[in-house]
Amino acid sequence: MKQKLEALKIEALAKLQEVADPQALNDLRVKYLGKKGELTEVLRGMGGLSAEERPVIGQVVNDVRGAIEEIITAKQEAFQQQETQNRLQAEKVDVTLPGRSMAQGGIHPLTRVVQEIEDIFIGMGYRVAEGPEVETDYYNFEALNLPKNHPARDMQDSFYLTDDLLMRTQTSPVQIRTMQGMKGEAPVKIICPGKVFRRDDDDATHSFQFHQVEGLVIGRNIRMSDLKGTLQQFVQEMFGPHTGIRLRPSFFPFTEPSVEVDVSCFKCGGDGCRLCKQTGWLEILGAGMVHPKVLEMGGYDPAEFSGFAFGMGVERIAMLKYGIDDIRNFYNNDMSFVKQFKGV
Ligand SMILES: [Zn+2]
């Protein structure tokens, strides 16, 4: 029996020594030490031993068990260490690697100028109104005192989609829509920023699409002096406190009288420079008192109400303000151009 135990011990230790993973180790533990294990099997046979033999064999059994348990414990620890090592290796983070930076966007210069204009007029109690870019002939022309065959329609070569639908050539239709929506209520104080479209060949200063901001005020006793005061206030906030304005007679079908509004050059202060072509003035706005026919189309009685309107090109203002010499820069998505305005 003693020999059997020694053989068992040698076999068990050899197998345990070669064991490669925790599952195999556990299988061997059950094989030798389990309830139905080989060592237990030997112990069962001890009943047939003599009283002298029993303690001797008992001692051998304990030795064998001890040796097997010892190697199992050592193997378990080794496996655990290996596992920890593997996990640390897998979760390893190299804190010295450079970080990934998030690309931060900037606001497009046209959007920036529109927001600036909006802020100034909102500060004066205006609200922002918007309308569709595809318009009917009625809203784009007729209601603005431009009946069919009116010669001034030629000033605005248009993109017609059907006989009656076109890409709006100005943001003025929003003024008519707003007036009609007010159903004769006053005052009206709105600005209408938006994209407009004209059949034009693109070059450094022309584009088939551009942006306008128009303004409209309607109420009782609205006078030309109110228009002038409003625009004076606007240009001072937009271009600096020393900016002046100059009104020149002009013609628009939807205003009477009509004026072109020049602002004193904000670069040279009026002395004359390249930006203002040595005149000291920059042409920036068109304006006038709302034509009585337009008031009527909008649902207001010209005998009781009056109003003024003005409009400006956003691209022109942005070009003057930021010294941009080609309008196409705004649209061709050249990142090196757009990035210059980050944080301006
Ligand atoms: Zn100048």
Side-chain angles (χ1 to χ4, degrees), residues 265 267-268 272-273 275-276 280:
C265 178
K267 197 165 184 190
C268 64
C273 69
L275 188 70
C276 58

